[in-house]
Amino acid sequence: GGTPGDRQRTVANGAIWHGEVQNRAKDGTLYWVDTTVVPFVRDRGEVYQYLAISSDITDRKRAEARLGHQAALAKIGEMAAVVAHEVRNPMAGVRAGLQLLEGRSSLRPSETLLIHEMVKRLDLLNARVTDLLQFAHPRPPQIETVRLRPLLDEIARTVLPDGIAYRVVGHDAVVFADKAMLHEVFTNLFANAGQGAA
């Protein structure tokens, strides 16, 4: 490594310089070379000639960058697993407690509605944790036959705030897709639409 100034000073002082240098080709692309510059010195210590030996290491640098990216993703994966454990477990306990309260006949309708809304918000938070896990550990799609209308109805009941109406226009389409991924996409769309309308 080092800067061009470091290289010049090293060689001008009669010492061998070795480093990795990024250059730009005439077509604008960047490439890396491993370079050694050897100065030839007269008896008086004067440098009169240089020998530069370079080899292209672009592929190696790209491989190192890929490995660094994979290591960063692995770290994100570890963090996501910690978040999933530390957030999901207590969240599941809170949700179960709310559902027990929701089933009590002594509650006023307004209290039941409030608990129902809290459960819906916990489900949305859980979905965000799932998003984080899927980003950290993407899985291959699992293709199956999916009916869209029941899927949309289920998401709308869970995500849309009360008082927001929606209507599906057209036939009950059947698609070949990953149901969980479709659920995630439409959940985000409904949540954004609900926030905009609220």
Side-chain angles (χ1 to χ4, degrees), residues 83-185:
V83 168
H85 178 75
E86 296 296 330
V87 172
R88 275 189 162 160
N89 287 349
M91 194 165 58
V94 171
R95 190 182 190 282
L98 287 170
Q99 287 184 310
L100 282 174
L101 287 174
E102 191 178 15
R104 289 188 173 178
S105 58
S106 59
L107 292 177
R108 295 192 298 271
S110 60
E111 293 172 331
T112 302
L113 180 61
L114 177 61
I115 292 173
H116 180 70
E117 286 299 314
M118 292 170 71
V119 169
K120 282 170 59 174
R121 295 298 178 263
L122 284 172
D123 288 340
L124 285 174
L125 179 57
N126 187 58
R128 297 294 72 79
V129 174
T130 300
D131 290 344
L132 178 62
L133 287 171
Q134 286 180 350
F135 173 77
H137 297 290
R139 62 174 178 78
Q142 298 172 1
I143 305 301
E144 60 181 302
T145 302
V146 182
R147 287 182 56 211
L148 286 183
R149 189 181 296 271
L151 179 69
L152 295 175
D153 287 339
E154 173 195 339
I155 295 169
R157 281 194 306 272
T158 306
V159 174
L160 288 180
D162 291 332
I164 303 295
Y166 89 102
R167 182 168 56 101
V168 177
V169 178
H171 299 292
D172 182 11
V174 175
V175 297
F176 295 102
D178 183 297
K179 187 173 183 179
M181 290 182 178
L182 267 185
H183 195 287
E184 180 184 344
V185 169

Side-chain angles (χ1 to χ4, degrees), residues 61-92:
K61 283 291 192 179
R62 287 177 181 160
E64 288 173 355
R66 281 194 298 272
L67 286 173
H69 180 68
Q70 290 169 357
L73 283 179
K75 194 67 178 173
I76 290 172
E78 291 173 14
M79 291 169 56
V82 170
V83 168
H85 178 75
E86 296 296 330
V87 172
R88 275 189 162 160
N89 287 349
M91 194 165 58

Side-chain angles (χ1 to χ4, degrees), residues 8-88:
Q8 290 171 356
R9 279 189 295 275
T10 300
V11 174
N13 290 331
I16 295 173
W17 182 89
H18 175 258
E20 296 174 350
V21 182
Q22 188 179 49
N23 294 321
R24 187 177 298 277
K26 289 181 181 178
D27 64 0
T29 59
L30 296 174
Y31 66 97
W32 283 89
V33 289
D34 183 290
T35 301
T36 301
V37 180
V38 181
F40 290 89
V41 184
R42 298 189 198 280
D43 293 340
R44 299 183 302 273
E46 174 190 352
V47 176
Y48 67 93
Q49 187 175 337
Y50 307 98
L51 172 65
I53 305 165
S54 295
S55 59
D56 191 309
I57 56 168
T58 306
D59 289 343
R60 193 195 84 201
K61 283 291 192 179
R62 287 177 181 160
E64 288 173 355
R66 281 194 298 272
L67 286 173
H69 180 68
Q70 290 169 357
L73 283 179
K75 194 67 178 173
I76 290 172
E78 291 173 14
M79 291 169 56
V82 170
V83 168
H85 178 75
E86 296 296 330
V87 172
R88 275 189 162 160

Side-chain angles (χ1 to χ4, degrees), residues 159-161 164-166 185-198:
V159 174
L160 288 180
I164 303 295
Y166 89 102
V185 169
F186 283 117
T187 296
N188 289 332
L189 289 174
F190 273 76
N192 291 339
Q195 289 169 3

